[in-house]
């Protein structure tokens, strides 16, 4: 009998001990499969492809986490394929199995951070006071900007005419657009709530979304010091409070 690739991989993945026995029933070249394994040997190549894709995805996320530590400690210039590979215990060649260039790594970092921002902002939706919810969204965006957004602009990747687009994985670009759309849909959902109707002054919620986004982003940027050693000129707490008061009028 011939041992198939699927059978070998099944035994290795499951970690099921195999013991040589004289009984030929259920055995291949003296290898007797555990009863649990007999079902696994029929797994198709499609299943193993999904396993490999999942493993690659998890390793990419682990590399992203290492890159974010470098970004936090040393800044954007430190996030290179060579430095991230060294910090992750990989060779530069192995890194290219997951990211073909620095831009693709940064794009993956951006997508993951936008997903975290969306999860954080989703907690604001249940707030019965939409203006208070907007204020909390501002604080969540401020944390995102301080941690990541100050280093990498969404616009640098979200413009279809960008020169970088030819060097990036189309699937990752689709993932970026989906993450950004989910985030903006969340904001639109808040603006579509009945309590916000009077504050929009007749402006449709879908048109108010970029206005609110620009407001929050602008407030965060002008109240964020250029470096950790410098002090901000404006106070974010005061400005976000004043902004929501203006919206409420």
């Amino acid at each position: 009998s011939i041992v198939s690739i699927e059978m070998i991989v099944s035994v290795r993945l499951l970690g099921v001990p195999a013991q040589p026995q004289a009984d030929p029933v259920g055995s291949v070249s003296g290898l007797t499969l555990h009863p649990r394994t007999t079902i696994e040997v029929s797994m198709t190549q499609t299943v193993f492809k999904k396993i490999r894709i999942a493993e690659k995805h998890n390793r990419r996320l682990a590399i992203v986490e290492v890159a974010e530590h470098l970004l936090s400690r040393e800044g954007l210039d430190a996030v290179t394929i060579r430095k991230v590979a060294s910090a992750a215990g990989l060779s530069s060649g192995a890194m290219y199995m997951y990211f073909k260039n620095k831009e693709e790594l940064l794009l993956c970092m951006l997508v993951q951070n936008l997903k975290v921002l969306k999860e954080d902002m989703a907690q604001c939706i249940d707030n019965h006071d939409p203006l208070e919810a907007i204020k909390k969204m501002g604080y969540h965006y401020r944390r995102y900007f301080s941690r990541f957004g100050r280093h990498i602009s969404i616009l640098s990747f979200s413009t279809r005419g960008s020169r970088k687009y030819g060097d990036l994985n189309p699937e990752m670009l689709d993932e970026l657009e989906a993450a950004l759309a989910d985030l903006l849909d969340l904001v639109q959902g808040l603006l579509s709530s009945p309590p916000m109707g009077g504050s929009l002054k007749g402006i449709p919620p879908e048109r108010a979304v970029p206005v609110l986004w620009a407001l929050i982003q602008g407030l965060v940027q002008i109240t964020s010091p250029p470096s950790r050693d410098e002090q901000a000129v404006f106070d974010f707490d005061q400005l976000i409070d004043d902004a929501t008061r203006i919206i409420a009028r």
Side-chain angles (χ1 to χ4, degrees), residues 118 121-122 124-131 133-134 137 180-197 200 203-210 212-213:
K118 187 248 182 180
M121 285 191 169
C124 306
I125 297 300
D126 294 333
N127 195 305
H128 297 296
D129 183 350
L131 294 178
I134 289 175
M137 281 185 171
L180 188 56
D182 287 344
L183 187 57
L184 296 180
D185 285 346
L186 187 74
V187 177
Q188 183 171 330
L190 175 65
L191 295 178
S192 300
S193 62
M196 280 298 299
L200 297 183
I203 299 174
E206 61 271 17
R207 281 173 47 197
V209 169
L212 178 59
W213 186 263

Side-chain angles (χ1 to χ4, degrees), residues 102-145:
K102 175 178 177 177
E103 285 71 28
E104 196 166 279
L105 172 58
L106 295 178
L107 174 57
C108 190
M109 293 168 67
L110 174 59
V111 170
Q112 296 308 313
N113 275 274
L114 286 178
K115 288 180 178 179
V116 171
L117 177 60
K118 187 248 182 180
E119 292 174 1
D120 290 340
M121 285 191 169
Q123 301 174 17
C124 306
I125 297 300
D126 294 333
N127 195 305
H128 297 296
D129 183 350
L131 294 178
E132 186 63 26
I134 289 175
K135 188 182 296 187
K136 289 184 177 181
M137 281 185 171
Y139 281 101
H140 285 306
Y141 184 84
R142 187 188 187 199
R143 281 192 288 271
Y144 157 82
F145 184 83

Side-chain angles (χ1 to χ4, degrees), residues 225-236:
S227 69
R228 295 177 180 177
D229 299 329
E230 299 181 72
Q231 189 172 0
V233 177
F234 299 102
D235 179 65
F236 180 79

Side-chain angles (χ1 to χ4, degrees), residues 42-54:
S42 63
M43 295 174 71
T44 64
Q45 290 183 349
T46 301
V47 174
F48 286 106
K49 183 178 180 180
K50 290 181 179 179
I51 291 174
R52 288 193 295 271
I53 291 174

